[in-house]
Amino acid sequence: MTASSVEQLRKEGNELFKCGDYEGALTAYTQALGLGATPQDQAILHRNRAACHLKLEDYDKAETEASKAIEKDGGDVKALYRRSQALEKLGRLDQAVLDLQRCVSLEPKNKVFQEALRNIGGQIQEKVRYMSSTDAKVEQMFQILLDPQEKGTEKKQKASQNLVVLAREDAGAEKIFRSNGVQLLQQLLDTGEADLMLAALRTLVGICSEHQSRTVATLSVLGTRRVVSILGVENQAVSLAACHLLQVIFDALKEGVKKGFRGKEGAIIVDPARELKILISNLLELLTEVGVSGQGRDNALTLLIKTVPRKSLKDPNNSLTLWVIDQGLKKILEVGGSVQDPPGELMVTANSRMSASVLLSKLFDDLKCDAERENFHRLCENYIKSWFEGQGLAGKLRAIQTVSCLLQGPCEAGNRALELSGVMESVIALCASEQEEEQLVAVEALIHAAGKAKRASFITANGVSLLKDLYKRSEKDSIRIRALVGLCKLGSAGGTDFSMKQFAEGSTLKLAKQCRKWLCNDQIDAGTRRWAVEGLAYLTFDADVKEEFVEDEAALKALFQLSRSEERSVLFAVASALVNCTNSYDYEEPDPKMVELAKYAKQHVPEQHPKDKAGFVRARVKKLLAAGVVSAMTCMVKTESPVLTNSCRELLSRVFLALVDDVEDRGTVVAQGGGKALLPLALEGTDVGQTKAAQALAKLTITSNPEMTFPGERIYEVVRPLVSLLHLNCSGLQNFEALMALTNLAGISERLRQKILKEKAVPMIEGYMFEEHEMIRRAATECMCNLAMSKEVQDLFEAKGNDRLKLLVLYSGEDDELLRRAAAGGLAMLTSMRPSLCSRIPQVTTHWLEILQALLLSSNQELQHRGAVVALNMVEASKDIASSLMESEVLEILSVLAKGKESPVTRAAAACLAKAVEYGLIKPNQDGE
């Protein structure tokens, strides 16, 4: 029983492999291994698994499986060959050549093995030549760079550039590493010269990139503390280069080696978890070090945001987050509670507090249970109490600033902190202070608290009069603008619900006008003008405010300029205002019956503002496009800052989708760089954001030339987001648009078709060919028609035991003319590329002849041409098929078509008849026709 089950599963796996379902084949082989297979069967199954992994481009697993097969049977030539293929892809050519030599010795006449051995020999010789030629170059470059006589010369600049370029290639990086390069680069770092430090850091990036052993060796030479300390230098370019190097080091320690020349990888025993903790510990120490630059502190926060929280909540291990909370939460809160102006002990930038808020939010979101969250709350509350109690006014200000930081990040922790005894009362009291710095801290805390539902009612009752008083009486714009934002927040509590107005008629318009006035005043610093944008982000829930805002060209221009400035904390507010102006938030038209029922039950029913109707929204979109919104958003997407959170990315994706909704506007979006900006939004962010961006990409791909919209290699990056729209959790419109876009891409080149196949889109496309909705069914068929130009898809149709060909034949006879055209096109393509399919057409359905005749008799020239090509392919494929066609009414139809006006149809019909004459099935008449 066991032996037959193993054999049955192996055969099933083989069939799945032939059909291109490598994951399915892998599962079948794995199940067979679990049934107690014999050693010989185990060898076969392991080598088959290796073949699957090779197809799935998982070369490490392919090597492992092939090695297991060789352990069972040392003479398994297929396993040896597959291991050599995997080793070659992994860059371990010296090991790959040994396996190939064994293959050739076992089968000396096998030309495939001989050719592979020749190819790999050539690659090894090329690498040896490259390595030997770079020996002298590396030595010469370091000599120039370390020569004090060459200071500031063009020669030195060129040497540094060449060193960086050489390190980008893995073989070059290995050469530098083996030539005592890390010690020499350390000398460049010790010079303190910005240009030399930049060259050294960028070269170290190449050495450490995706290479664990070189990374660990580099850290042991330079010292973790030394590398981290470079972050804190005043020179921004050097600090950013150090940040990039540390990011590469983190990635290498987490992922290990992924590519290229490994060297003696196993020679260094690595404990990545220990190395990671040492690095993170040093970053946490840097946060509170006096003398570290504000930019360096921001870069340290950015690295912690990227490396500490889990990439996916499916990963059960959040131990790194828990360790950072225990070891460094107080240090992060210290940065969050620091003030930029006047400068305190810690130098911070305008973005430091927001970066600290983002990090705190990500750490809190990474916690898994109530006990972990309670510990987070306890640590935050103890820290705030330590400043609030017994530290005087300065301590209270520090505590309130920290509460503001929490309210902008993990607001649950912020709300808990607000409820601590005396905190809210101190905030209210300090709002009336004579000192501007104290007022600023208190008013900002009040604004952040106003956005939280728990505190909003308290503030509405106690804070509105205070904010109004500050707005009217304060002589300082910095206070007035913040007080105005607080009022804006409270005034927008009803959201887009027209029936819920917090303030008197016209008040929101007055507030918005004042916000726009401050926004346009370039005499005010960017940090203060940001608050004007915050106010507009809330007030633009009101459609009257939206209409006035998009009419104000100066305000739009100022908004877009501010989004490009160094004031990164404005990005979310800008994106929110644009979402409101374009109505790109999710909105479902309420069911009229439910509305009547709610009214009858005296329940509140939200009302849409008359100026939020589709016509008004389209007009606002056009005004935003004319003002240059796309180029501003493109700059926002490029921002390398923690402030560009996943939520912010989602808002930008929503706006882009609204901008490309009208076909006429898509050319403008593409011309201003929208296609390029959408790609990163579709590949990173929230699920909703990625889906919205992918749908916008689909719309652009459908109506514009993809090669112009996504030039160069960028076009291949579009495929994955489009395939993601084929999943069942997406709407029918998203499925349809994705299929249309993929159809366009599949018609461009074989490489694009291969990319679509690699993303495993074919099974999903086939599924949609059975969809009830005729437009989706037609789009899927058109896409399959274009994909049929690929050999792999042709193999699927040719494989035995499937109904793919039958479906195309039947669709060629449907009433939907566009569906018929797509199916007949696919049929013409397949029968041309694979003549063996011609003999199977009569077997798949008894109606095949009627369908073919209907195509030939169609009034549509395109359908006629497709039918004529199918007929020609069938006639050329076999005399027997030709005979059955000539014995039917097809002969008469072809004779009539061949006499028509010169066209592709007449030529195909004439070719059919000529072939039949050649077979001797028919004879030409006296006129030679």
Side-chain angles (χ1 to χ4, degrees):
M1 285 293 290
T2 305
S4 64
S5 300
V6 169
E7 181 65 19
Q8 187 178 346
L9 280 167
R10 185 167 68 82
K11 286 181 177 176
E12 185 182 319
N14 293 348
E15 286 300 318
L16 289 167
F17 187 90
K18 286 176 188 173
C19 294
D21 185 358
Y22 306 121
E23 294 279 7
L26 204 55
T27 304
Y29 297 141
T30 306
Q31 288 174 347
L33 278 168
L35 293 177
T38 63
Q40 187 180 355
D41 282 337
Q42 285 179 29
I44 294 168
L45 290 165
H46 280 303
R47 84 180 182 211
N48 286 359
R49 279 171 58 81
C52 293
H53 286 307
L54 282 171
K55 288 288 187 183
L56 293 167
E57 298 183 14
D58 192 341
Y59 303 117
D60 281 312
K61 287 182 180 175
E63 180 207 348
T64 304
E65 290 295 334
S67 298
K68 287 178 181 177
I70 293 162
E71 284 173 19
K72 302 289 181 187
D73 181 1
D76 190 334
V77 73
K78 286 185 179 179
L80 283 164
Y81 180 60
R82 284 169 190 166
R83 187 167 73 175
S84 76
Q85 289 177 297
L87 290 167
E88 182 184 352
K89 291 289 186 183
L90 291 167
R92 290 148 66 186
L93 303 181
D94 51 342
Q95 293 171 285
V97 80
L98 292 173
D99 280 347
L100 279 172
Q101 285 170 346
R102 282 184 68 191
C103 289
V104 171
S105 67
L106 290 167
E107 292 187 14
K109 294 181 180 179
N110 190 313
K111 290 183 180 179
V112 173
F113 297 158
Q114 291 170 2
E115 184 64 27
L117 189 59
R118 273 196 297 275
N119 287 340
I120 212 164
Q123 288 181 52
I124 290 172
Q125 287 174 4
E126 183 63 34
K127 184 164 274 192
V128 168
R129 275 199 301 274
Y130 177 77
M131 297 289 275
S132 59
S133 68
T134 54
D135 274 356
K137 289 179 186 174
V138 171
E139 192 177 339
Q140 188 183 12
M141 281 184 246
F142 277 114
Q143 279 178 356
I144 295 168
L145 290 168
L146 293 168
D147 185 352
Q149 303 298 319
E150 296 283 356
K151 190 171 183 179
T153 63
E154 189 180 333
K155 200 187 223 183
K156 202 164 193 172
Q157 189 178 8
K158 193 172 181 182
S160 66
Q161 287 172 350
N162 289 341
L163 195 64
V164 173
V165 170
L166 182 65
R168 285 176 189 156
E169 291 293 328
D170 205 61
E174 182 72 14
K175 191 68 231 168
I176 296 169
F177 179 74
R178 290 177 181 275
S179 303
N180 204 30
V182 178
Q183 286 84 349
L184 294 169
L185 290 167
Q186 186 176 24
Q187 291 179 40
L188 293 180
L189 290 172
D190 291 340
T191 62
E193 292 180 36
D195 289 345
L196 292 181
M197 289 179 78
L198 280 171
L201 290 167
R202 288 166 182 167
T203 305
L204 285 166
V205 166
I207 289 172
C208 297
S209 186
E210 297 184 358
H211 204 297
Q212 197 174 51
S213 65
R214 285 202 303 245
T215 299
V216 174
T218 299
L219 284 174
S220 68
V221 173
L222 297 177
T224 305
R225 184 70 195 148
R226 171 82 176 94
V227 178
V228 173
S229 67
I230 301 170
L231 269 181
V233 301
E234 285 294 335
N235 188 297
Q236 285 195 18
V238 173
S239 180
L240 276 171
C243 181
H244 185 206
L245 172 61
L246 285 165
Q247 182 64 59
V248 166
I249 288 171
F250 273 118
D251 291 342
L253 290 175
K254 280 187 168 184
E255 304 298 333
V257 180
K258 276 187 177 179
K259 66 165 189 178
F261 196 94
R262 287 195 175 197
K264 294 183 179 177
E265 180 62 32
I268 298 173
I269 298 169
V270 180
D271 179 6
R274 179 176 170 276
E275 296 292 335
L276 279 169
K277 282 189 176 179
I278 291 171
L279 261 178
I280 290 169
S281 177
N282 278 286
L283 284 174
L284 291 169
E285 290 295 329
L286 187 83
L287 289 179
T288 52
E289 269 186 30
V290 177
V292 171
S293 68
Q295 179 71 33
R297 227 177 291 282
D298 287 358
N299 287 335
L301 289 166
T302 301
L303 283 166
L304 290 167
I305 288 165
K306 288 181 177 178
T307 54
V308 175
R310 292 170 291 170
K311 296 291 182 191
S312 167
L313 294 179
K314 292 177 183 176
D315 178 4
N317 183 10
N318 69 339
S319 58
L320 197 57
T321 294
L322 297 176
W323 183 81
V324 167
I325 288 171
D326 287 338
Q327 301 296 317
L329 184 63
K330 287 182 181 178
K331 293 181 173 65
I332 301 165
L333 289 171
E334 196 168 335
V335 177
S338 299
V339 290
Q340 184 186 4
D341 195 26
E345 277 190 0
L346 301 182
M347 289 174 64
V348 291
T349 70
N351 300 315
S352 299
R353 200 166 81 221
M354 181 60 79
S355 295
S357 295
V358 172
L359 176 56
L360 290 166
S361 180
K362 285 189 173 288
L363 292 174
F364 188 78
D365 290 343
D366 204 39
L367 300 177
K368 295 192 293 185
C369 63
D370 288 344
E372 292 174 0
R373 283 184 276 273
E374 194 56 43
N375 178 55
F376 186 96
H377 290 312
R378 181 178 55 78
L379 290 170
C380 289
E381 288 166 17
N382 288 344
Y383 177 82
I384 291 164
K385 284 178 185 175
S386 71
W387 281 103
F388 196 78
E389 298 166 2
Q391 296 280 346
L393 183 60
K396 282 186 168 60
L397 285 172
R398 188 65 178 258
I400 292 168
Q401 188 84 314
T402 307
V403 171
S404 285
C405 178
L406 286 168
L407 285 166
Q408 287 179 282
C411 57
E412 189 180 321
N415 274 325
R416 286 268 296 254
L418 274 177
E419 290 164 7
L420 291 173
S421 175
V423 171
M424 200 67 203
E425 290 77 8
S426 296
V427 170
I428 299 288
L430 284 169
C431 282
S433 170
E434 294 296 320
Q435 298 295 318
E436 184 180 1
E437 294 80 19
E438 295 170 9
Q439 267 193 316
L440 283 174
V441 171
V443 173
E444 284 187 23
L446 197 61
I447 291 165
H448 295 311
K452 313 303 167 192
K454 277 190 177 183
R455 311 303 308 181
S457 57
F458 172 85
I459 293 162
T460 304
N462 301 281
V464 171
S465 57
L466 177 62
L467 289 168
K468 281 183 178 178
D469 195 51
L470 284 169
Y471 174 61
K472 289 176 182 176
R473 297 189 183 183
S474 179
E475 295 176 2
K476 302 177 183 74
D477 277 347
S478 57
I479 300 296
R480 292 186 69 217
I481 199 168
R482 285 165 172 79
L484 177 61
V485 172
L487 291 169
C488 293
K489 270 194 172 185
L490 296 170
S492 64
T496 56
D497 185 356
F498 181 50
S499 62
M500 284 184 69
K501 293 295 173 189
Q502 301 295 314
F503 295 153
E505 190 68 37
S507 294
T508 50
L509 286 172
K510 287 177 185 176
L511 291 173
K513 188 175 181 180
Q514 185 59 53
C515 280
R516 297 203 309 274
K517 183 180 173 183
W518 270 320
L519 176 61
C520 295
N521 186 352
D522 53 13
Q523 301 301 310
I524 302 174
D525 66 279
T528 304
R529 287 165 68 207
R530 167 178 80 86
W531 289 97
V533 184
E534 290 270 357
L536 287 168
Y538 288 98
L539 292 175
T540 46
F541 280 122
D542 187 315
D544 289 318
V545 174
K546 299 178 199 182
E547 287 295 315
E548 284 196 3
F549 185 36
V550 296
E551 292 290 349
D552 190 339
E553 291 182 19
L556 289 176
K557 187 178 178 182
L559 179 78
F560 299 153
Q561 283 178 343
L562 195 59
S563 71
R564 295 184 177 99
S565 71
E566 292 298 313
E567 184 63 44
R568 297 303 185 200
S569 51
V570 78
L571 295 183
F572 191 85
V574 172
S576 299
L578 292 174
V579 165
N580 292 339
C581 287
T582 56
N583 282 33
S584 44
Y585 39 72
D586 292 325
Y587 174 77
E588 285 187 20
E589 199 70 41
D591 184 343
K593 290 182 180 177
M594 294 302 293
V595 171
E596 288 301 319
L597 191 62
K599 285 179 179 176
Y600 180 75
K602 295 184 179 178
Q603 295 293 315
H604 173 71
V605 179
E607 293 178 25
Q608 188 182 32
H609 196 292
K611 290 181 181 177
D612 271 335
K613 302 288 187 200
F616 284 96
V617 175
R618 277 196 297 273
R620 290 201 292 265
V621 165
K622 292 194 183 296
K623 285 168 187 170
L624 286 170
L625 285 167
V629 67
V630 176
S631 49
M633 288 171 62
T634 303
C635 291
M636 289 167 71
V637 172
K638 289 178 184 174
T639 301
E640 287 290 335
S641 166
V643 178
L644 188 66
T645 58
N646 287 343
S647 300
C648 189
R649 286 172 174 275
E650 181 185 319
L651 295 179
L652 292 172
S653 298
R654 288 177 179 276
V655 178
F656 267 120
L657 184 56
L659 295 178
V660 300
D661 190 54
D662 192 330
V663 177
E664 292 177 6
D665 296 331
R666 293 175 193 174
T668 307
V669 173
V670 171
Q672 294 182 14
K676 183 180 178 182
L678 276 166
L679 282 168
L681 293 175
L683 296 169
E684 186 182 347
T686 64
D687 290 342
V688 173
Q690 288 183 29
T691 302
K692 300 280 184 191
Q695 191 177 0
L697 282 172
K699 288 178 185 288
L700 292 179
T701 310
I702 291 167
T703 53
S704 58
N705 181 349
E707 291 173 291
M708 298 285 284
T709 308
F710 312 104
E713 293 295 304
R714 206 169 287 136
I715 194 170
Y716 303 100
E717 295 175 38
V718 180
V719 174
R720 180 171 296 172
L722 294 180
V723 172
S724 71
L725 292 178
L726 296 179
H727 293 293
L728 294 174
N729 58 344
C730 293
S731 67
L733 177 62
Q734 289 166 343
N735 299 154
F736 172 72
E737 288 178 333
L739 289 165
M740 293 282 284
L742 288 169
T743 301
N744 279 2
L745 293 178
I748 291 172
S749 70
E750 179 57 27
R751 189 178 166 196
L752 271 169
R753 288 191 287 274
Q754 289 298 322
K755 178 67 176 171
I756 294 169
L757 293 172
K758 189 179 173 184
E759 294 296 335
K760 301 176 184 174
V762 170
M764 289 185 277
I765 295 167
E766 285 186 324
Y768 286 115
M769 287 175 73
F770 293 93
E771 177 66 42
E772 285 184 20
H773 196 292
E774 61 180 25
M775 291 176 71
I776 296 176
R777 186 169 68 238
R778 182 197 308 149
T781 308
E782 287 173 351
C783 191
M784 188 59 71
C785 173
N786 281 357
L787 287 172
M789 289 185 269
S790 288
K791 176 183 174 296
E792 289 79 359
V793 176
Q794 294 162 18
D795 289 341
L796 292 176
F797 276 90
E798 203 170 30
K800 292 180 181 178
N802 71 77
D803 289 331
R804 293 183 178 93
L805 185 65
K806 180 178 180 178
L807 186 65
L808 277 189
V809 174
L810 291 173
Y811 278 178
S812 298
E814 284 286 306
D815 293 333
D816 181 349
E817 192 169 285
L818 293 172
L819 177 62
R820 287 177 73 196
R821 190 172 67 183
L827 207 54
M829 174 74 66
L830 287 163
T831 51
S832 175
M833 306 296 286
R834 295 295 172 96
S836 60
L837 291 174
C838 295
S839 60
R840 287 175 51 189
I841 288 176
Q843 298 167 14
V844 295
T845 173
T846 54
H847 301 292
W848 71 276
L849 202 53
E850 297 168 33
I851 292 168
L852 183 58
Q853 288 172 5
L855 288 173
L856 292 169
L857 291 169
S858 172
S859 57
N860 185 306
Q861 282 279 316
E862 290 187 38
L863 283 175
Q864 263 195 336
H865 183 226
R866 284 161 166 73
V869 170
V870 172
L872 177 59
N873 292 337
M874 292 179 76
V875 167
E876 289 181 337
S878 154
K879 185 177 178 180
D880 291 339
I881 301 172
S883 176
S884 60
L885 285 173
M886 294 305 116
E887 289 170 3
S888 69
E889 293 177 11
V890 170
L891 173 59
E892 188 179 340
I893 297 169
L894 290 172
S895 301
V896 173
L897 290 176
K899 293 175 184 176
K901 189 179 178 182
E902 175 68 18
S903 70
V905 176
T906 57
R907 287 195 293 274
C912 281
L913 296 172
K915 192 67 181 176
V917 170
E918 186 185 319
Y919 285 142
L921 297 173
I922 59 172
K923 292 181 181 179
N925 59 24
Q926 292 176 352
D927 298 329
E929 294 180 353

